[in-house]
């Protein structure tokens, strides 16, 4: 579709990031201008995120994991004055959104001191299988304030996963109202057992949002299955190019459009 206005989304990457091309493609299709932003651009002060409506922290396997899942990447931000200020100011703005996927999910979870309304977010530990898990899993979208999943609640969809440290560990009581995606068994019940739950997260939780719904983190990869042809199998009635996961990116564009009125 044609868009008269394309808000900017920073497609954030670090050394080892490998999901940025698919992420940019999904946001571009939804009506955004996608800008490749490397962490070095922010650390050097060349980029301060002021001009962006959205930020997507992408998946991959980088030196950023040396202190644990996503922690090296997060500490680069937390302990650098320029980067900390750029991210803090971005998250404090009420007209911005952010999405973290896989390595980006782990990284944003470790940045929760900078992100309002995320005290309930977990840390991510090694899968109980002690193996890298890469395949398709079934998840359910649950009701939360997440701007990405409005109108998608109750959907049960296949999604790509690829992680070694995806097990959520909560330091406080789990807030079901802010846990937006969970692994489910074939009967639709939340799964805590392998292989339907690839990492052993409690209640199958594999995605969370902030209290205001502006920032969402997911271990699975929706950007890898936003087109029908990206799915290993799909119903014959899926005749259009957009697969169901594409709706979350359209939802983000709708949210920005509402903010700009």
């Amino acid at each position: 579709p044609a868009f008269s206005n394309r808000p900017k989304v920073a497609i954030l990457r670090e050394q080892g990031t490998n999901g940025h091309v698919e992420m940019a493609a999904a946001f571009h299709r939804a009506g955004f201008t996608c800008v490749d932003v490397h962490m070095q651009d922010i650390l050097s002060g060349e980029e301060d995120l002021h001009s962006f409506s959205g930020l997507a922290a992408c998946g991959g396997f980088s030196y950023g994991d040396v202190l644990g899942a996503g922690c090296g990447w997060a500490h680069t931000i937390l302990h650098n004055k320029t980067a900390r200020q750029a991210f803090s100011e971005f998250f404090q703005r009420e007209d911005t959104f952010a999405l973290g996927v896989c390595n980006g999910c782990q990284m944003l979870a470790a940045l929760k001191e900078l992100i309002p309304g995320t005290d309930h977010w977990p840390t991510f530990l090694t899968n109980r299988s002690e193996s890298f898990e890469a395949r398709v899993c079934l998840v359910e979208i649950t009701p939360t304030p997440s701007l990405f999943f409005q109108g998608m609640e109750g959907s049960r969809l296949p999604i790509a996963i690829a992680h070694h440290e995806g097990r959520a560990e909560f330091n406080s009581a789990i807030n079901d109202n802010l846990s937006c995606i969970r692994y489910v068994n074939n009967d639709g019940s939340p799964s805590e057992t392998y292989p339907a739950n690839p990492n052993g997260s409690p209640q199958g939780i594999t995605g969370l949002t902030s209290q205001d719904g502006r920032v969402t983190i997911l271990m699975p990869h929706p950007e890898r299955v936003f087109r029908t042809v990206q799915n290993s199998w799909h119903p014959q009635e899926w005749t259009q190019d957009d697969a169901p996961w594409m709706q979350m990116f359209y939802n983000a564009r709708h949210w920005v459009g509402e903010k700009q009125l």
Side-chain angles (χ1 to χ4, degrees), residues 28-257:
H28 176 81
R29 177 173 292 208
F32 290 94
T33 294
C34 298
V35 180
D36 178 42
V37 177
H38 194 278
M39 274 300 302
Q40 190 58 41
D41 299 327
I42 296 173
L43 294 169
S44 68
E46 293 181 24
E47 181 53 70
D48 59 15
L49 302 176
H50 283 165
S51 66
F52 291 94
S53 296
L55 180 154
C58 302
F61 303 92
S62 71
Y63 83 96
D65 288 331
V66 294
L67 301 176
C71 290
W73 188 357
H75 283 219
T76 300
I77 296 166
L78 293 172
H79 300 294
N80 178 281
K81 182 178 179 181
T82 300
R84 185 184 180 99
Q85 180 175 345
F87 280 90
S88 181
E89 290 178 355
F90 178 86
F91 291 125
Q92 291 293 332
R93 287 167 46 199
E94 294 185 356
D95 62 345
T96 62
F97 70 85
L99 174 67
V101 168
C102 197
N103 204 215
C105 164
Q106 299 161 340
M107 184 274 284
L108 289 185
L111 280 188
K112 64 183 182 180
E113 66 185 80
L114 302 184
I115 306 173
T118 61
D119 291 343
H120 60 287
W121 281 4
T123 53
F124 290 90
L125 305 177
T126 301
N127 302 339
R128 291 208 183 277
S129 67
E130 298 186 356
S131 298
F132 173 70
E133 302 287 343
R135 58 179 185 279
V136 171
C137 284
L138 185 65
V139 296
E140 180 180 40
I141 299 170
T142 56
T144 64
S146 175
L147 65 90
F148 288 98
F149 298 121
Q150 297 306 298
M152 298 177 69
E153 300 89 346
S155 299
R156 294 173 185 162
L157 299 167
I159 193 168
I161 62 156
H163 59 256
H164 186 266
E165 296 174 295
R167 176 167 55 92
E169 182 176 79
F170 293 85
N171 296 324
S172 57
I174 294 174
N175 189 331
D176 290 332
N177 296 325
L178 298 174
S179 302
C180 54
I181 290 184
R182 61 188 180 187
Y183 297 113
V184 293
N185 296 308
N186 289 341
D187 63 1
S189 61
S191 176
E192 292 191 343
T193 58
Y194 188 88
N197 181 328
N199 50 50
S201 291
Q203 301 179 24
I205 293 169
T206 190
L208 303 102
T209 193
S210 58
Q211 289 182 356
D212 62 7
R214 291 192 299 113
V215 185
T216 296
I217 56 173
L218 312 171
M219 279 308 300
H221 288 271
E223 79 286 357
R224 293 186 180 177
V225 285
F226 74 92
R227 297 183 63 200
T228 295
V229 296
Q230 289 175 300
N231 289 265
S232 58
W233 178 89
H234 60 79
Q236 290 184 349
E237 58 265 29
W238 288 16
T239 56
Q240 61 182 14
D241 194 41
D242 285 351
W245 286 108
M246 187 59 212
Q247 186 60 46
M248 64 177 284
F249 299 98
Y250 288 133
N251 282 348
R253 180 63 185 87
H254 177 76
W255 183 86
V256 173

